[in-house]
Amino acid sequence: MKGRLDKVLATCRLISRTDAQAALKAGRVTVDGTAVRDGKVKVDSDAQMILLDGVRVEGDGFVYLMLYKPVGVLSATEDKRGAITAMDLLPEEYRKAAPGVVGRLDKDAEGLLLLTNNGELNHRLTSPKHHADKLYRVTLDLPATEEDVRAFAEPMDLGDFTTQPGKLELLEDGKTALVTIHEGKFHQIKRMFQHQGKTVQTLKRLSIGPLRLDEALADGAWRPLSGEEVRALLAAADMM
Ligand code: URA
């Protein structure tokens, strides 16, 4: 979104119009790293990094983040039994924006977690209709074989549901592999390997649709998505 900074802030759902004026005056709004107090300044929220209290203001007013979920952290926004959740790894400002997790990742798995308060995008990316491919890297107890590659490429009957055809690529000695699946049913990849007589030892999500885990992101770290990454996700979900 292009236009006056106060207008861009007013369309963002993080703050009311009146509070936006106060936030500007207080120097809580930065554009490309510099505090801007004048709401009349012309900005482009796609090309520039506009932050309110450190939270990225996207042109459409939603919050989009990627988090490198560490092993042991729940891919949930809260846990009644007090376990550490993805939300606990975010600063207060982002927690207030109440982003939801797009697609579960098991507690013992790590890697890309997408968080957004854009509910429509979340729904579409997790609905099998839109086929947002998820890519994972796994390590196994036994080497996967060409027979497993063929089995993953066909619908696999797991009892309570049948998978859509996926893709298995063997790396190194076959004990490491890349897996692409379309759905994200509970323990799906672990169950697919179990079906083939193998046990998943480690599982790391590398991408969701066009969004790849930023390799510069440390375990447990997060960053806002760039405008380009958001647009690619919206396009993949037929929302552009
Ligand atoms: N498949 C699994 O088994 N676990 C995940 O967390 C994701 C896909």
Side-chain angles (χ1 to χ4, degrees):
M1 181 183 182
K2 287 185 191 157
R4 285 170 49 143
L5 180 55
D6 54 5
K7 288 248 171 67
V8 170
L9 285 171
T11 54
C12 118
R13 266 154 259 208
L14 292 172
I15 195 165
S16 73
R17 190 177 284 256
T18 343
D19 289 346
Q21 290 307 332
L24 279 163
K25 277 218 184 90
R28 288 161 49 205
V29 180
T30 59
V31 179
D32 287 338
T34 307
V36 176
R37 291 182 163 78
D38 181 1
K40 293 197 286 297
V41 167
K42 292 275 193 338
V43 292
D44 176 348
S45 59
D46 287 328
Q48 292 169 299
M49 179 71 89
I50 304 174
L51 302 179
L52 165 67
D53 293 331
V55 175
R56 174 119 200 223
V57 174
E58 282 297 341
D60 64 3
F62 291 112
V63 166
Y64 303 91
L65 305 170
M66 73 161 78
L67 168 76
Y68 187 142
K69 185 190 97 62
V71 167
V73 170
L74 289 182
S75 66
T77 47
E78 59 175 11
D79 183 62
K80 292 198 174 63
R81 285 159 299 176
I84 299 175
T85 68
M87 201 62 101
D88 296 325
L89 301 178
L90 302 181
E92 177 62 23
E93 299 82 47
Y94 274 103
R95 277 186 255 149
K96 272 195 294 205
V101 169
V102 181
R104 278 183 304 244
L105 194 53
D106 292 342
K107 189 176 177 188
D108 61 1
E110 63 183 320
L112 176 62
L113 205 62
L114 169 62
L115 294 123
T116 181
N117 53 4
N118 184 336
E120 177 66 15
L121 178 69
N122 191 338
H123 168 73
R124 285 178 177 236
L125 287 177
T126 45
S127 120
K129 194 171 146 239
H130 289 274
H131 300 292
D133 285 353
K134 271 82 62 180
L135 174 69
Y136 298 82
R137 185 178 183 277
V138 297
T139 58
L140 305 164
D141 63 337
L142 299 168
T145 63
E146 289 303 326
E147 193 192 317
D148 298 327
V149 173
R150 283 191 291 276
F152 272 64
E154 299 288 327
M156 193 184 283
D157 183 358
L158 294 177
D160 53 340
F161 88 106
T162 300
T163 67
Q164 292 177 23
K167 189 171 163 196
L168 172 63
E169 294 164 75
L170 308 184
L171 302 175
E172 298 155 23
D173 58 355
K175 279 193 175 182
T176 306
L178 294 174
V179 183
T180 307
I181 54 170
H182 304 289
E183 319 91 326
K185 297 275 196 240
F186 193 56
H187 293 332
Q188 181 168 333
I189 291 181
K190 290 175 183 163
R191 293 179 62 196
M192 289 173 83
F193 278 106
Q194 225 161 42
H195 182 268
Q196 298 298 113
K198 276 126 208 154
T199 304
V200 170
Q201 293 187 318
T202 66
L203 181 63
K204 177 175 178 177
R205 183 154 62 202
L206 302 177
S207 63
I208 300 173
L211 183 68
R212 282 201 70 91
L213 177 65
D214 185 339
E215 284 172 16
L217 216 55
D219 204 358
W222 60 274
R223 70 157 170 81
L225 297 195
S226 66
E228 204 178 313
E229 287 168 330
V230 173
R231 282 192 294 280
L233 282 170
L234 294 173
D238 296 326
M239 289 171 71
M240 270 180 75

